[in-house]
Short mmCIF file of all heavy atoms in Angstrom, two decimals:
data_model
loop_
_atom_site.label_atom_id
_atom_site.label_comp_id
_atom_site.label_asym_id
_atom_site.label_seq_id
_atom_site.Cartn_x
_atom_site.Cartn_y
_atom_site.Cartn_z
N ARG A 431 -12.72 10.41 18.88
CA ARG A 431 -12.86 10.07 17.46
C ARG A 431 -13.98 10.89 16.82
O ARG A 431 -13.83 11.43 15.72
CB ARG A 431 -13.15 8.58 17.30
CG ARG A 431 -13.34 8.13 15.85
CD ARG A 431 -13.95 6.76 15.78
NE ARG A 431 -15.27 6.73 16.41
CZ ARG A 431 -15.93 5.60 16.71
NH1 ARG A 431 -15.38 4.43 16.46
NH2 ARG A 431 -17.11 5.66 17.28
N ASP A 432 -15.09 11.02 17.50
CA ASP A 432 -16.20 11.81 16.97
C ASP A 432 -15.80 13.27 16.80
O ASP A 432 -16.21 13.93 15.84
CB ASP A 432 -17.42 11.70 17.90
CG ASP A 432 -18.03 10.31 17.90
OD1 ASP A 432 -17.73 9.53 16.97
OD2 ASP A 432 -18.80 10.00 18.83
N ALA A 433 -14.98 13.77 17.73
CA ALA A 433 -14.52 15.16 17.62
C ALA A 433 -13.61 15.33 16.41
O ALA A 433 -13.66 16.36 15.72
CB ALA A 433 -13.79 15.57 18.90
N ARG A 434 -12.76 14.34 16.13
CA ARG A 434 -11.90 14.41 14.94
C ARG A 434 -12.75 14.43 13.68
O ARG A 434 -12.48 15.19 12.74
CB ARG A 434 -10.96 13.20 14.89
CG ARG A 434 -9.92 13.15 15.99
CD ARG A 434 -8.94 12.00 15.76
NE ARG A 434 -8.22 11.69 16.97
CZ ARG A 434 -8.48 10.64 17.75
NH1 ARG A 434 -9.43 9.78 17.40
NH2 ARG A 434 -7.79 10.42 18.83
N LEU A 435 -13.75 13.58 13.62
CA LEU A 435 -14.63 13.54 12.45
C LEU A 435 -15.36 14.87 12.26
O LEU A 435 -15.48 15.37 11.14
CB LEU A 435 -15.65 12.41 12.59
CG LEU A 435 -15.20 11.02 12.17
CD1 LEU A 435 -16.22 9.99 12.61
CD2 LEU A 435 -14.96 10.94 10.68
N GLU A 436 -15.83 15.45 13.34
CA GLU A 436 -16.55 16.71 13.23
C GLU A 436 -15.62 17.82 12.76
O GLU A 436 -15.99 18.66 11.93
CB GLU A 436 -17.17 17.08 14.58
CG GLU A 436 -17.86 18.44 14.62
CD GLU A 436 -18.97 18.58 13.59
OE1 GLU A 436 -19.52 17.56 13.13
OE2 GLU A 436 -19.29 19.73 13.24
N SER A 437 -14.38 17.81 13.25
CA SER A 437 -13.41 18.81 12.80
C SER A 437 -13.11 18.63 11.32
O SER A 437 -13.01 19.61 10.56
CB SER A 437 -12.12 18.71 13.62
OG SER A 437 -11.16 19.65 13.18
N LEU A 438 -12.99 17.38 10.88
CA LEU A 438 -12.73 17.12 9.46
C LEU A 438 -13.91 17.57 8.61
O LEU A 438 -13.73 18.07 7.49
CB LEU A 438 -12.45 15.63 9.26
CG LEU A 438 -12.04 15.19 7.86
CD1 LEU A 438 -10.77 15.90 7.41
CD2 LEU A 438 -11.86 13.67 7.81
N ARG A 439 -15.11 17.42 9.11
CA ARG A 439 -16.29 17.85 8.37
C ARG A 439 -16.39 19.37 8.27
O ARG A 439 -16.76 19.92 7.22
CB ARG A 439 -17.56 17.32 9.04
CG ARG A 439 -18.85 17.64 8.29
CD ARG A 439 -20.07 17.45 9.16
NE ARG A 439 -20.11 18.44 10.24
CZ ARG A 439 -20.53 19.70 10.08
NH1 ARG A 439 -20.93 20.13 8.89
NH2 ARG A 439 -20.53 20.53 11.10
N ALA A 440 -16.00 20.07 9.33
CA ALA A 440 -16.30 21.50 9.42
C ALA A 440 -15.13 22.42 9.12
O ALA A 440 -15.34 23.60 8.77
CB ALA A 440 -16.84 21.81 10.82
N SER A 441 -13.92 21.96 9.27
CA SER A 441 -12.75 22.84 9.20
C SER A 441 -12.05 22.73 7.85
O SER A 441 -11.55 21.66 7.49
CB SER A 441 -11.77 22.51 10.32
OG SER A 441 -10.52 23.14 10.10
N ARG A 442 -11.96 23.83 7.11
CA ARG A 442 -11.24 23.82 5.83
C ARG A 442 -9.76 23.54 6.06
O ARG A 442 -9.13 22.81 5.27
CB ARG A 442 -11.44 25.16 5.11
CG ARG A 442 -10.61 25.31 3.83
CD ARG A 442 -10.94 24.24 2.80
NE ARG A 442 -10.01 24.24 1.69
CZ ARG A 442 -10.28 24.78 0.50
NH1 ARG A 442 -11.46 25.35 0.26
NH2 ARG A 442 -9.39 24.74 -0.48
N ALA A 443 -9.18 24.08 7.11
CA ALA A 443 -7.77 23.81 7.39
C ALA A 443 -7.54 22.33 7.63
O ALA A 443 -6.55 21.74 7.15
CB ALA A 443 -7.30 24.63 8.59
N HIS A 444 -8.45 21.70 8.36
CA HIS A 444 -8.34 20.27 8.62
C HIS A 444 -8.50 19.47 7.32
O HIS A 444 -7.81 18.49 7.07
CB HIS A 444 -9.40 19.87 9.64
CG HIS A 444 -9.10 18.59 10.38
ND1 HIS A 444 -9.77 18.21 11.51
CD2 HIS A 444 -8.21 17.61 10.13
CE1 HIS A 444 -9.30 17.04 11.92
NE2 HIS A 444 -8.36 16.66 11.10
#
Side-chain angles (χ1 to χ4, degrees):
R431 179 194 61 193
D432 292 343
R434 293 187 197 103
L435 276 169
E436 176 58 22
S437 179
L438 185 59
R439 184 196 67 80
S441 168
R442 174 59 190 259
H444 202 166

